[in-house]
Amino acid sequence: MEQFVGLDVSQDITHVCVIGSDGKIVWQGTCLSTPESISSAVKAKAPNAIRIGLESGPLSTWHWHALKAEGFPIVCLDARHAKAALNMQMNKTDKNDAHGLAQIVKAGWYREVGVKSLDSHTVRSMLGARA
């Protein structure tokens, strides 16, 4: 069975929602906001993940590169487009946002953000520090 995963990442805790190809929730839960913790949650609860979506934000580069290196089919979603879709929900919570992100990646109605390389981020921070 195909599975789609939505990750609502915050500073400390990440809400994870796994849905099946029929759109029904397979699993919802939380894990720490570290790539290792997210990876183990996805491996345990969504071994057949087709797409994993997370919104662009301060931690998305770190998570995207770490999960991509492990071979996960991760996509970084444009936060403004995802927000527009998620604001249509009745109850706006982190748990519901994770479910909404899973629905978005299942439907394919998203704009993927290009994540810059870690070297690019290093160069930018060096230039910023010099300025």
Side-chain angles (χ1 to χ4, degrees):
M1 173 199 248
E2 295 180 338
Q3 296 170 323
F4 300 89
V5 182
L7 303 174
D8 187 61
V9 180
S10 66
Q11 198 70 25
D12 299 320
I13 292 180
T14 296
H15 289 264
V16 182
C17 181
V18 180
I19 62 171
S21 54
D22 58 356
K24 293 184 180 175
I25 295 173
V26 175
W27 181 79
Q28 270 187 320
T30 60
C31 62
L32 295 176
S33 287
T34 63
E36 298 82 17
S37 183
I38 294 170
S39 172
S40 64
V42 171
K43 283 178 186 173
K45 303 299 182 180
N48 302 320
I50 299 298
R51 258 189 309 272
I52 302 169
L54 78 154
E55 287 181 275
S56 59
L59 299 174
S60 60
T61 300
W62 177 41
H63 288 122
W64 188 88
H65 283 289
L67 294 172
K68 193 65 146 179
E70 290 192 43
F72 287 109
I74 186 126
V75 293
C76 187
L77 309 175
D78 185 342
R80 289 174 290 168
H81 286 203
K83 181 181 179 191
L86 296 175
N87 280 341
M88 304 287 281
Q89 300 178 105
M90 291 290 251
N91 297 323
K92 181 104 170 68
T93 64
D94 292 340
K95 179 181 171 184
N96 289 342
D97 283 355
H99 181 249
L101 291 171
Q103 293 285 357
I104 289 170
V105 295
K106 178 188 173 295
W109 296 342
Y110 59 86
R111 178 179 290 172
E112 189 171 350
V113 174
V115 179
K116 293 180 183 174
S117 70
L118 294 176
D119 289 338
S120 175
H121 282 282
T122 303
V123 169
R124 185 175 178 159
S125 65
M126 296 288 258
L127 292 172
R130 282 198 291 189

